[in-house]
Amino acid sequence: MKNESIGIVETKYHSLSDDLILESGEKLKNVQVAYETYGKLNKEKSNAILVCHALTGDAHVAGWYEGDKKPGWWDVIIGPGKCLDTEKYFIICSNVIGGCKGSTGPSSINPETNKPYGLDFPIITIKDMVNAQKKLVNSMGVTQLFAVIGGSMGGMQVLQWCVSYPDMVRSAIPIATTAFSSPQQIAFNEVGRRAIISDPNWNNGQYYDSEVPTEGLALARMIAHITYLSNESMYQKFGRRLQDKEDYGFDFETDFEVESYLHYQGNSFTKRFDANSYLYITKAVDYFDLAGEGSLAETFYGLKIKFLVISVDSDWLYPPSLSRDIVMGLNANDINVSYCEIKSSYGHDAFLIEAGQLNYLIAGFLSDTLVKDVMAKEFPKIKEKSSIEHAAELMLHEKVTHLPVVTDNSTLLGIVTAWDISKSVARNYKELDDIMTKEVIVVSPEDPIELAARKMKKYSISSLPVVDESETVIGIVTMDHVSSMMTEN
Ligand SMILES: CC(=O)SCCNC(=O)CCNC(=O)[C@H](O)C(C)(C)COP(=O)(O)OP(=O)(O)OC[C@H]1O[C@@H](n2cnc3c(N)ncnc32)[C@H](O)[C@@H]1OP(=O)(O)O
Ligand SMILES: N[C@@H](CCO)C(=O)O
């Protein structure tokens, strides 16, 4: 096991029970979603964080496969003690549909022909990807995600989650992304697609039992990879240095280090990616336009999600101005949003590399947890003037040891505990009023969970009613809720 790593991990597979109805109106049958999870889902299922991957990523976001030389693609921020701390959070990452790393995509077998789909695979969108993820998340019993996070195309999925399933997202972290694909981004994707389509081996997408279009795919990646770097990082990495030679070759072989590097990036990509998946996924990215005919301010209307929007100062593919547009749309709705720009010379791919800044920003944002973020909103309470027997029955039935005593309007009058019930038996009390504590220790929904924890410790109590300004009980927070979310000091 490596230091600070979650160690050896494995990919799992979930088969969707229903067909996936796509945005295009087409139906995708027998859909499989490849995913990985790390950490432990808590009893309340409230600590799940969904990581959405970028264009060529996959479900293997952290940890190691047996025998591998490199860990998952975002291992720098996932694991014990890192910002996506697996001691606190339950991390989920799935491969997008349309992909080639275990989720159903163009290289999967079409149940109607028993052959790989190829171009018979339907066009998919970012919204379709999110719909498949939602089914996976629901299959785990998770009804609200503590956070959804992702960079680049992953960030588009984050934004789509917030708009498609606002009640399922507590906080959102879109990084180095945009709310719509710009003409320049579409242009680069189209050049990449044309490189694939122009490769004779592409054969209209039917190459699975013959030579694959590696030349076209490598060229597509070389073009795209340039857009993931910055001019400055290219100077830093290569300058004008020559590759394994002292002088120019005066031919069309490789002269410069940067050429050799791009060939390497292109070739290694063909070993891990399917050309048709590249076509489908880049198309999904191009179609992404969260606001459509409307404005972002209208699109974000009514969201109760807390946002951390991050951009990279040297990213010219998804420049900070596009992130600031997202922030403006959120600000127009008074939505809680923090915005940070990573300082880096790496360009767009900095979101995969800048471990220190990412860990600092994300850990700070996630640890800023309030009582309302973790409290149980459905909980048993008992009306004033109820009998002690009724309170005892309710406790047994609901398996709780604390019951807020309330008026018809849910105003808090007191609290009765299992200990109070034993006292009533021993001392022969008959009325709830005789045994309940009237000076109740409470917290407000806007209090930080650290305050709830301190009160529980100080008064040796394991459960606190949450009351709003009008003394109405709106939730209950227990030691379990709090301890699963507390930052360890
Ligand atoms: C985002 C997701 O969801 S997952 C997808 C993320 N992964 C990728 O995109 C993989 C390809 N991308 C990269 O490698 C990216 O550059 C990063 C961001 C992941 C890594 O960035 P860096 O750490 O700066 O690595 P860098 O860009 O310098 O590339 C290093 C590789 O280039 C090779 N290389 C460096 N110089 C040269 C050269 N002159 N000639 C040939 N190869 C070279 C290195 O040997 C190294 O190879 P390795 O990856 O097999 O070890
Ligand atoms: N380099 C990353 C980022 C692209 O946005 C990838 O290949 O997915």
Side-chain angles (χ1 to χ4, degrees):
M1 185 140 135
K2 315 276 191 233
N3 275 350
E4 296 183 332
S5 166
I6 45 177
I8 301 298
V9 298
E10 60 173 28
T11 307
K12 294 171 265 191
Y13 301 89
H14 174 69
S15 298
L16 301 192
S17 50
D18 302 318
D19 296 346
L20 191 65
I21 312 293
L22 303 174
E23 215 182 333
S24 63
E26 295 224 34
K27 256 188 217 164
L28 198 53
K29 293 192 172 123
N30 298 357
V31 179
Q32 174 175 269
V33 179
Y35 69 100
E36 294 190 8
T37 63
Y38 325 116
K40 208 167 151 234
L41 187 59
N42 65 12
K43 216 167 61 201
E44 299 79 23
K45 300 189 188 250
S46 60
N47 66 337
I49 296 185
L50 179 72
V51 180
C52 303
H53 70 71
L55 192 69
T56 71
D58 53 34
H60 183 39
V61 56
W64 299 76
Y65 289 155
E66 204 82 59
D68 263 7
K69 293 200 182 84
K70 283 184 178 176
W73 56 267
W74 229 358
D75 194 77
V76 290
I77 64 162
I78 300 173
K82 300 178 197 173
C83 65
L84 301 192
D85 191 339
T86 44
E87 308 275 300
K88 280 192 337 198
Y89 307 117
F90 177 66
I91 311 296
I92 309 167
C93 182
S94 66
N95 183 213
V96 295
I97 54 158
C100 52
K101 292 301 182 80
S103 290
T104 300
S107 56
S108 306
I109 297 297
N110 179 349
E112 277 165 19
T113 59
N114 274 330
K115 292 190 177 131
Y117 278 101
L119 290 200
D120 288 336
F121 194 75
I123 290 288
I124 40 120
T125 63
I126 299 291
K127 203 183 219 174
D128 297 328
M129 294 172 184
V130 165
N131 286 342
Q133 287 161 6
K134 187 210 177 239
K135 287 175 191 283
L136 170 72
V137 166
N138 282 156
S139 77
M140 297 174 185
V142 173
T143 53
Q144 191 184 44
L145 290 159
F146 186 73
V148 187
I149 177 170
S152 197
M153 186 184 87
M156 297 177 189
Q157 295 159 67
V158 172
L159 296 172
Q160 189 64 60
W161 260 96
C162 297
V163 172
S164 292
Y165 303 108
D167 296 336
M168 279 190 71
V169 182
R170 192 195 78 94
S171 54
I173 313 177
I175 309 174
T177 195
T178 178
F180 64 94
S181 278
S182 71
Q184 190 192 52
Q185 292 154 0
I186 296 170
F188 278 115
N189 283 342
E190 174 58 5
V191 176
R193 283 192 295 266
R194 283 297 131 189
I196 292 170
I197 288 170
S198 312
D199 185 327
N201 289 339
W202 179 65
N203 190 29
N204 237 7
Q206 281 305 341
Y207 52 78
Y208 293 108
D209 53 5
S210 55
E211 287 281 302
V212 298
T214 44
E215 289 291 321
L217 184 59
L219 188 49
R221 183 61 171 182
M222 288 166 75
I223 296 156
H225 198 80
I226 298 167
T227 70
Y228 305 151
L229 308 173
S230 71
N231 195 28
E232 188 186 343
S233 69
M234 284 184 153
Y235 268 108
Q236 283 167 359
K237 272 182 204 285
F238 321 108
R240 286 187 50 85
R241 284 191 301 278
L242 300 180
Q243 182 74 37
D244 303 325
K245 55 172 72 161
E246 300 292 319
D247 294 309
Y248 296 163
F250 295 102
D251 55 22
F252 295 105
E253 298 303 309
T254 301
D255 277 321
F256 295 97
E257 278 188 9
V258 66
E259 295 173 296
S260 165
Y261 170 82
L262 280 182
H263 287 137
Y264 176 80
Q265 291 292 346
N267 290 335
S268 47
F269 185 59
T270 63
K271 299 188 180 81
R272 71 176 179 91
F273 218 78
D274 171 52
N276 282 335
S277 275
Y278 195 86
L279 299 181
Y280 278 86
I281 298 177
T282 53
K283 201 72 191 169
V285 167
D286 289 357
Y287 282 157
F288 185 64
D289 183 6
L290 196 64
E293 298 294 298
S295 69
L296 274 181
E298 287 162 347
T299 306
F300 292 140
Y301 177 77
L303 294 189
K304 304 264 183 301
I305 300 163
K306 196 171 80 158
F307 281 81
L308 170 63
V309 178
I310 302 178
S311 65
V312 177
D313 61 357
S314 57
D315 184 352
W316 55 274
L317 181 65
Y318 292 79
S321 59
L322 294 174
S323 287
R324 286 196 290 266
D325 286 346
I326 298 169
V327 174
M328 274 196 289
L330 295 166
N331 276 337
N333 289 285
D334 268 341
I335 292 165
N336 182 344
V337 52
S338 308
Y339 171 65
C340 295
E341 228 172 82
I342 288 180
K343 308 284 170 251
S344 172
S345 62
Y346 280 118
H348 179 63
D349 266 349
F351 83 90
L352 296 164
I353 306 170
E354 291 288 1
Q357 293 182 70
L358 286 166
N359 274 297
Y360 176 75
L361 295 174
I362 297 166
F365 174 73
L366 291 178
S367 67
D368 189 15
T369 305
L370 304 179
V371 165
K372 67 176 177 193
D373 299 326
V374 296
M375 70 183 188
K377 292 181 192 120
E378 303 290 325
F379 59 96
K381 43 190 183 277
I382 190 158
K383 294 270 172 66
E384 58 179 327
K385 303 209 174 17
S386 301
S387 66
I388 292 180
E389 287 74 18
H390 179 48
E393 271 166 25
L394 195 57
M395 280 185 190
L396 265 179
H397 184 257
E398 299 284 342
K399 300 191 179 62
V400 294
T401 52
H402 293 65
L403 284 178
V405 183
V406 294
T407 64
D408 285 343
N409 300 330
S410 287
T411 304
L412 184 68
L413 294 174
I415 192 153
V416 61
T417 65
W419 173 244
D420 294 328
I421 304 273
S422 339
K423 261 194 322 195
S424 73
V425 174
R427 303 206 179 139
N428 206 21
Y429 289 129
K430 293 283 175 245
E431 302 296 326
L432 209 49
D433 198 59
D434 297 331
I435 60 166
M436 73 181 186
T437 302
K438 291 174 187 155
E439 298 290 314
V440 190
I441 313 292
V442 296
V443 279
S444 122
E446 302 297 330
D447 285 337
I449 54 163
E450 278 78 8
L451 180 66
R454 278 204 303 279
K455 283 191 176 179
M456 286 180 190
K457 195 167 172 204
K458 180 169 174 194
Y459 298 104
S460 299
I461 40 184
S462 58
S463 184
L464 295 174
V466 184
V467 296
D468 64 13
E469 319 79 58
S470 57
E471 297 292 305
T472 305
V473 195
I474 57 163
I476 200 133
V477 63
T478 66
M479 192 55 99
D480 276 348
H481 292 130
V482 167
S483 57
S484 63
M485 291 297 163
M486 286 280 292
T487 316
E488 311 220 337
N489 292 313

